[in-house]
Amino acid sequence: MPSPRVWFVTGSSTGFGRTLTELALSKGDRVVATLRKPHVLDELVKQYEGKDQLLVLKLDVTKRDEVESTFKTAFEKWGRIDIVFSNAGWGIIGEIESTSEKAARDQMEANFWGAAWVAIEAIKYFRDFNKPVGGKLMHMSSMFGIDVSPGAGYYCATKFASEAMIEAINREVDPSWNIKVTILCPGWFRTPMVMANPVVEPAHPAYAANPNLPSMLVRQVFGPMQTGESPLLGDPKKLIQKFWDLSLLEEMPLHVPFGEDARACFERRYKELKADFEATERYSQNLTFDSKA
């Protein structure tokens, strides 16, 4: 890839998106920082004024036409897009029964459909416009895109769905297009998504009646996270440095857990699937269609 590289970052107002934007700029790369409220980055714009490194654009990823026009503007600015960091999204804490349909649907619009529109444009620009062809798609998922958490079922569903979509893209692209894909699966980190931005639905009475149910225990653990007091929260600046290191690799792994909690989710899911696979072989035998029967 050329130097400086051009990043396209979604959800750059706070958290991982903001921290990565600042790191990339400090390293001398160029960043197209997209967010719903561009004024949030006014101070950063002043800091890099005259350096031809930062372009801030308004973007709501749930609106496909905005995604398309923002990519077009970004490409016109610097003539290529090298890395897309697809990061916009938000979470809900609540049992499946306690989560409103509107909240669940709105979350799917951002976390799945928004990610889909960004990924589609990324592939198009990497293949059809970049010279030489190629680019890297870094998709922000979660440890809960691998292993489901009680009390966050709809959030997990959006992450499972978006991971499936990104995995399909990874299998569909022609190797000659030189497109690299990686799915980032962090555990709990000290960011506004955890501390300020999540929607916490009131507990369903049937679950609230038993504080030892898994979803209620998750609620108890999540409380200290919102105040930033939980020892479970990792350092986002250290995590972003790991993202940066990944971006420098010629070949990136498809799934990457970040944090011991994320690694535990990967291991638990692997063991569960392996156990089911080994225990159910007989249910897959003798199922061939017999036209003479």
Side-chain angles (χ1 to χ4, degrees):
M1 285 188 179
S3 183
R5 301 178 299 175
V6 178
W7 293 73
F8 186 102
V9 180
T10 68
S12 60
S13 59
T14 61
F16 298 141
R18 174 66 176 263
T19 307
L20 180 62
T21 293
E22 293 176 349
L23 177 62
L25 290 170
S26 73
K27 297 284 190 179
D29 278 356
R30 291 168 166 167
V31 179
V32 181
T34 70
L35 63 169
R36 289 181 297 170
K37 299 177 180 179
H39 67 84
V40 172
L41 297 183
D42 283 351
E43 288 300 315
L44 197 61
V45 170
K46 290 180 181 178
Q47 182 181 344
Y48 283 89
E49 190 173 1
K51 296 184 179 181
D52 195 32
Q53 277 187 263
L54 176 61
L55 174 64
V56 177
L57 298 174
K58 181 181 181 301
L59 173 61
D60 179 346
V61 296
T62 66
K63 299 177 180 178
R64 189 171 187 176
D65 58 337
E66 284 192 16
V67 175
E68 293 172 350
S69 65
T70 305
F71 266 86
K72 184 175 184 293
T73 301
F75 185 83
E76 289 172 347
K77 172 67 175 177
W78 285 309
R80 65 181 295 110
I81 299 170
D82 297 300
I83 305 171
V84 171
F85 181 60
S86 181
N87 166 72
W90 56 282
I92 298 174
I93 295 296
E95 298 79 16
I96 294 296
E97 282 191 274
S98 67
T99 303
S100 71
E101 180 179 345
K102 182 181 188 310
R105 287 182 177 276
D106 287 349
Q107 186 180 224
M108 181 63 78
E109 286 293 326
N111 293 8
F112 174 73
W113 286 111
W117 307 145
V118 170
I120 289 168
E121 290 303 297
I123 299 306
K124 180 173 74 175
Y125 276 83
F126 292 160
R127 179 191 61 224
D128 298 342
F129 296 96
N130 280 354
K131 304 298 179 187
V133 299
K136 295 178 178 178
L137 173 59
M138 302 180 73
H139 171 77
M140 177 60 71
S141 184
S142 164
M143 62 183 177
F144 295 142
I146 297 294
D147 188 48
V148 172
S149 170
Y154 280 119
Y155 175 76
C156 297
T158 68
K159 292 301 183 180
F160 267 67
S162 65
E163 286 204 19
M165 179 264 298
I166 296 297
E167 287 187 36
I169 286 174
N170 186 60
R171 294 187 182 187
E172 290 170 355
V173 295
D174 189 320
S176 69
W177 301 343
N178 193 32
I179 295 172
K180 312 301 180 184
V181 177
T182 193
I183 300 172
L184 311 171
C185 303
W188 293 112
F189 282 84
R190 190 185 177 93
T191 69
M193 180 174 177
V194 173
M195 297 171 59
N197 297 338
V199 173
V200 181
E201 298 277 17
H204 188 287
Y207 298 85
N210 184 351
N212 294 317
L213 286 176
S215 67
M216 298 307 296
L217 295 175
V218 167
R219 287 176 179 272
Q220 294 172 31
V221 170
F222 192 71
M225 289 187 181
Q226 287 188 283
T227 63
E229 298 171 356
S230 173
L232 300 175
L233 294 173
D235 185 335
K237 290 186 178 180
K238 292 179 179 179
L239 177 63
I240 293 303
Q241 183 61 55
K242 302 289 187 182
F243 291 173
W244 177 265
D245 294 344
L246 268 175
S247 78
L248 298 174
L249 297 178
E250 187 65 29
E251 298 292 336
M252 300 187 298
L254 182 56
H255 291 93
V256 188
F258 298 92
E260 292 306 316
D261 50 354
R263 291 188 63 82
C265 282
F266 271 61
E267 184 176 28
R268 182 167 53 246
R269 187 66 173 172
Y270 167 75
K271 287 181 177 179
E272 287 178 351
L273 289 173
K274 184 172 185 290
D276 286 345
F277 176 76
E278 292 175 348
T280 59
E281 181 181 2
R282 66 185 184 277
Y283 296 110
S284 293
Q285 296 174 342
N286 301 318
L287 295 176
T288 302
F289 180 76
D290 187 352
S291 61
K292 297 180 181 180

